[in-house]
DNA sequence: CTGAAAGCGCTAACAC
DNA sequence: GTGTTAGCGCTTTCAG
């Protein structure tokens, strides 16, 4: 269990702290996997019979089943999934091209769970917010003949997918619509969420509420900023100095904060347009954040441990993911069905930061 | 862009907030994908020539290349990856069976990046801490004939993998060793990290330091508790009432805190054995946490936003993931190489909570 | 209920 | 240089 050994060594170009090589050099050699033919020979039956047993075909005599199964065990046979897929045409696998796997992403978790429940394998890849990577991943998924693909679109133009759609690739867009192609889509109710945040702060006595959010070139950034503007206008209030969409850099967010809070007619409360904006604002304000009423769009990990705990508009990410899979399965089952868009409601989680009065 | 429509509806058994169906029912029909034969016919060349062009074989005349490529464009041909894999025997894909994808997991991010850099596709699945699921995932990956698999082992006995290893399946264990089989392994220096945390607190004047951590039945829980005990003994101090491994429930952690901090000879500082323990402790203590010196094992998202910011022993997760892929690639390249274990050093991130003096 | 034979789409020996 | 041919391991008509 303990693998202690003092000195540093080089390994594959990495310097590693400690390393051990098993005594006796007990490496393995690559053996060839047995095929169905080998199993058939071992069991003394025909290839077809082995195939039937593997696929639980009930029309096989019990004695044959036993013979074949013991041969499978003896040879340690595992059917080659690729060959089955090639022959049958289906892959029972769906792809997900999301911004980042390996980062908290309840939608992806829901996709995995829903897919698993439907007997589908999930192949997830990170686009890393990179248009070229998104393109490469989607093309690669087409080549793998996945049964369908869910994508959080990044790029502007997706017209290169037209031919894939025409070739029958089922595709669902998540969180954002895709431009240039007509596909099933599932998104959050961005405008509704901004409305909830705004009215929550109004209800707590704030006459001037400011918004800081993502760049308007990003779809959700645009939708949320526009919704906030609509809120202000609907209340007959001024909009000047209160709406700050833009790049997600510390400088830009800092400037927006200054403009919103330290101008001639400062805002007394803040709506932040997404998780990264929320975190940038909190980091910028430091301890000062404790006194500023904030409602964030998107839930934040550990939001309950901050002081005050953070009130947020939370997306129903689990439902978004599950719906994406269901839309995809429906499309796979019936490629001719009408294209559909689903908008998932958001909800508010009240924790303290949004309930501070002026 | 806006898909507003008032009422709630039922969709695939889900109630959704808002939904729209595109006008005109512009669904698509499933078309058959063209094959290489179709491309060859279209281009007026032999099948072999198409294959060569697709694989960038330099021994093809430029005019042929052009003819074939325009035929590929015209027919929108995409080579079928499954057929290529079946024929060539390799999949250029590795699997990762981790506890949870879709949760902050820098090791998985590093695996993906390293794999991509090596031209490998990554198939990641969540074991969800479930032994049966781990088994199912690994068997499924064997059937898919992946080139190799990285696993964060969950289950106790992995002897069922012996036959897969014998059949030549390259396998690397990450974060934990696997019992019952001899495989390449990469882990953090748990003992070293505990030592760093302990000595950091000693250096800041704490004579009695307590440890609260995960269950000793979990490998890292055992290693870290044992290392902490060794630290105490090495300093000639008593160990009673200072070491609290156990289940990760709020009650158990609360009881451990009481025992450590409110006994006859209370500890003045705390080492928490993993991220979940750290969060459980912080949640339990509430505002009181601000006064208790804590060093946590594992970095925590938003650790810098807490007050005081959290001092942690951070695992070099990026290197763990990258090393896992490199070990796997080395094993794939040479199945007979000796089995190897790599221990990756940890480091300390000083943020405030660990520097409070008694 | 079982067995022989064809073929999924591609690559890799071989001839031409 | 290019074309023909035989499979990769499996499923699936079709006869027995």
């Amino acid at each position: 269990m303990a693998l202690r050994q003092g000195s540093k060594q080089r390994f594959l170009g990495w310097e590693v702290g400690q390393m051990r090589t098993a005594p006796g050099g007990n490496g393995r050699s690559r053996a060839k996997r047995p095929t169905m033919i080998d199993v058939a020979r071992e069991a003394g039956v025909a290839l077809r019979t082995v195939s039937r047993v593997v696929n639980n075909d009930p029309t096989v005599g019990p004695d044959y089943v036993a013979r074949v199964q013991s041969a499978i065990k003896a040879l340690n046979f595992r059917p080659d999934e690729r060959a089955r897929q090639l022959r049958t045409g289906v892959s029972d696998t769906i792809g997900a091209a999301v911004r980042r796997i390996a980062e908290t992403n309840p939608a992806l978790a829901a996709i995995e769970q829903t897919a698993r429940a439907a007997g589908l394998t999930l192949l997830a890849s990170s686009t890393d917010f990179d248009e070229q990577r998104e393109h490469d991943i989607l093309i690669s998924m087409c080549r793998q003949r996945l049964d369908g693909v869910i994508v959080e679109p990044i790029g502007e133009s997706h017209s290169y997918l037209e031919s894939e759609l025409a070739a029958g690739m089922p595709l669902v867009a998540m969180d954002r619509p895709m431009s240039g192609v007509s596909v099933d889509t599932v998104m959050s109710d961005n405008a509704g969420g901004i409305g909830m945040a705004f009215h929550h702060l109004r209800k707590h006595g704030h006459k001037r509420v400011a918004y800081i959010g993502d760049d308007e070139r990003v779809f959700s950034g645009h939708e949320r900023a526009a919704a906030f503007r609509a809120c202000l206008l609907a209340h007959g209030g001024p909009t000047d100095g209160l709406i700050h969409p833009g790049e997600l850099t510390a400088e830009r967010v800092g400037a927006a904060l200054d403009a919103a809070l330290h101008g001639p007619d400062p805002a007394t409360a803040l709506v932040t347009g997404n998780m990264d904006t929320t975190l940038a604002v909190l980091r910028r304000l430091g301890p000062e954040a404790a006194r500023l009423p904030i409602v964030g769009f998107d839930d934040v990990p550990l939001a309950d441990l901050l002081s005050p705990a953070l009130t947020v508009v939370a997306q129903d990410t689990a439902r978004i993911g599950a719906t994406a899979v269901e839309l995809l399965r429906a499309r796979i089952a019936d490629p001719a069905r009408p294209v559909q868009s689903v908008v998932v409601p958001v909800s508010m989680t009240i924790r303290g930061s949004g309930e501070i009065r002026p």
Side-chain angles (χ1 to χ4, degrees), chain A:
Chain A
M1 200 170 262
L3 319 167
R4 308 289 156 242
Q5 197 172 302
S7 63
K8 300 208 173 214
Q9 307 179 26
R10 300 284 301 170
F11 161 68
L12 297 171
W14 294 82
E15 185 181 80
V16 297
Q18 297 169 338
M19 157 167 30
R20 181 202 62 166
T21 292
N26 56 344
R28 315 168 218 111
S29 58
R30 180 179 292 276
K32 194 191 154 302
R33 283 254 177 211
T35 76
M36 272 195 181
I37 296 178
D38 301 321
V39 176
R41 190 165 25 228
E42 171 84 11
V45 299
L47 177 58
R48 176 77 182 92
T49 307
V50 178
S51 174
R52 276 190 161 119
V53 171
V54 166
N55 293 292
N56 298 315
D57 188 320
T59 72
V60 188
D63 43 341
Y64 281 80
V65 172
R67 280 236 304 280
V68 169
Q69 269 172 350
S70 73
I72 288 177
K73 293 247 158 59
L75 297 178
N76 186 36
F77 167 74
R78 301 251 179 259
D80 188 322
E81 187 59 21
R82 299 169 302 184
R84 190 190 69 81
Q85 291 182 13
L86 181 59
R87 183 62 234 244
T88 60
V90 302
S91 67
D92 291 332
T93 303
I94 63 173
V98 299
R99 281 162 295 193
R100 306 232 52 185
I101 71 171
E103 237 159 63
T104 303
N105 186 341
L108 180 57
I111 288 172
E112 191 188 24
Q113 228 177 314
T114 311
R116 182 190 313 160
L120 297 167
T121 299
L122 175 68
L123 179 61
S125 278
S126 300
T127 60
D128 272 331
F129 304 85
D130 183 82
E131 186 159 0
Q132 181 62 44
R133 247 200 83 57
E134 178 190 272
H135 172 273
D136 295 348
I137 289 172
L138 292 177
I139 295 301
S140 160
M141 287 176 170
C142 288
R143 293 169 66 132
Q144 294 186 58
R145 300 293 191 271
L146 300 189
D147 288 352
V149 172
I150 295 166
V151 56
E152 280 183 273
I154 292 294
E156 271 312 299
S157 164
H158 291 94
S159 42
Y160 68 92
L161 287 172
E162 250 168 37
S163 50
E164 309 303 332
L165 290 167
M169 169 60 94
L171 188 66
V172 169
M174 187 169 75
D175 278 3
R176 244 186 294 294
M178 291 180 93
S179 54
V181 289
S182 165
V183 299
D184 301 296
T185 306
V186 53
M187 300 190 291
S188 277
D189 183 4
N190 288 310
I194 289 292
M196 288 172 77
F198 179 77
H199 290 115
H200 186 76
L201 290 167
R202 294 278 303 187
K203 216 168 48 192
H204 283 81
H206 298 282
K207 296 290 177 216
R208 272 181 76 80
V209 180
Y211 167 91
I212 302 181
D214 202 355
D215 203 305
E216 291 213 70
R217 283 172 301 184
V218 176
F219 173 77
S220 59
H222 174 80
E223 265 214 328
R224 294 173 193 175
F228 193 81
R229 173 170 286 109
C231 284
L232 289 179
L233 293 175
H235 282 259
T239 63
D240 51 299
L242 291 179
I243 309 179
H244 300 277
E247 240 189 323
L248 275 182
T249 62
E251 297 73 41
R252 208 278 303 173
V253 168
L257 268 175
D258 283 344
L261 302 179
H262 305 308
D265 189 5
T268 60
L270 197 61
V271 173
T272 48
N274 65 12
M275 193 193 312
D276 288 340
T277 305
T278 306
L279 297 181
V281 163
L282 292 179
R283 292 204 161 99
R284 177 75 177 201
L285 289 175
E288 204 188 325
R291 292 187 303 276
L292 181 66
I294 296 181
V295 176
F297 207 114
D298 290 338
D299 207 351
V300 166
L302 274 63
D304 60 315
L305 284 177
L306 303 175
S307 44
L310 191 69
T311 291
V312 297
V313 172
Q315 302 191 51
D316 193 346
T317 43
R319 193 146 115 188
I320 289 178
T323 304
V325 175
E326 294 305 340
L327 278 172
L328 191 60
R329 297 220 300 151
R331 169 73 46 213
I332 292 167
D334 176 13
R337 72 193 286 275
V339 171
Q340 199 175 28
S341 285
V342 178
V343 175
V344 174
V346 299
S347 65
M348 189 122 145
T349 305
I350 292 170
R351 295 202 184 98
S353 74
E355 292 72 49
I356 304 171
R357 296 194 165 264

